[in-house]
Amino acid sequence: MPTLLHLDSSADLDRGRSRALTAAFADAWRARGADYTVVYRDLQSDPLPHLETAALHWPEGARPAGAIVPAAAAALQQEIIDELLAADVLLVGAPLYNYTVPSTLKAWLDRVHVPGVLTPAEPGGAQPLAGRPAVVAVTRGGTYDDGTATAGWDHGSPVLSIILGNAFGMEVRIVTASATLAERLPAMAALRDRAAAEFDAAAATLRSLAREVG
Ligand SMILES: Cc1cc2nc3c(=O)[nH]c(=O)nc-3n(C[C@H](O)[C@H](O)[C@H](O)COP(=O)(O)O)c2cc1C
């Protein structure tokens, strides 16, 4: 039973563009067959708490001496990690908020990025998610083109690429739609055609990825 873990983190429950993009992927995934399953987690509607203690960054047995980890917090962390381990494909909706990922998505990353569990604690250590596809739909209000003043200001995509790709060894595909605020902001009106074209291209890429991965 191929399983997709679908995460959304946009705080815009009605008009979020990343939600529309991840839905395009998930719909195409489901269309592959009745056994193509989706496990859905909405990090905005059902937020994870911030880490209760830094000791949760380490697995049991590698935590600092005397560290106290509430049992409920450890159980929640295990549930989130198990959910990711059970997924054949990970799908993440990741809007750019203040030049990085939404804090709700960061809370999820803080739960799953545990050295020695999903990422090697030492060279040659286990990487149980190695090679699994991770598809990220990034939406950004502005533009961050090479050669412009804002190039390199998107610090959200690199975080996801480093944790999912470098640390977990997943095959990361980041699909981006920029200038999403052009529709609403008169000052960005000149970018409306570009924004629409980027969104349509991103949706098409995601639909086609959903038919290939996993
Ligand atoms: C709290 C907040 C912070 C934002 N910060 C940025 C930003 O730093 N850069 C940017 O390009 N757009 C920023 N935006 C605009 C969003 O990236 C844009 O509206 C995007 O489409 C949001 O994703 P969504 O449509 O999936 O909700 C911000 C929006 C919000 C709500």
Side-chain angles (χ1 to χ4, degrees), residues 94-102 138-141 144 153-157:
L96 188 65
Y97 281 2
N98 291 304
Y99 306 102
T100 185
V101 294
V138 172
T139 45
R140 319 189 284 201
Y144 300 89
W153 287 20
D154 173 353
H155 297 282
S157 301

Side-chain angles (χ1 to χ4, degrees), residues 10-12 15-19 95-100 139-144 180-181 184:
S10 166
D12 187 340
R15 291 172 305 277
R17 307 314 283 151
S18 59
R19 290 177 179 275
L96 188 65
Y97 281 2
N98 291 304
Y99 306 102
T100 185
T139 45
R140 319 189 284 201
T143 57
Y144 300 89
T180 60
L181 287 176
R184 278 203 293 119

Side-chain angles (χ1 to χ4, degrees), residues 59-77:
E60 210 177 342
R63 291 178 185 147
I68 295 170
V69 173
L76 174 63
Q77 175 140 359

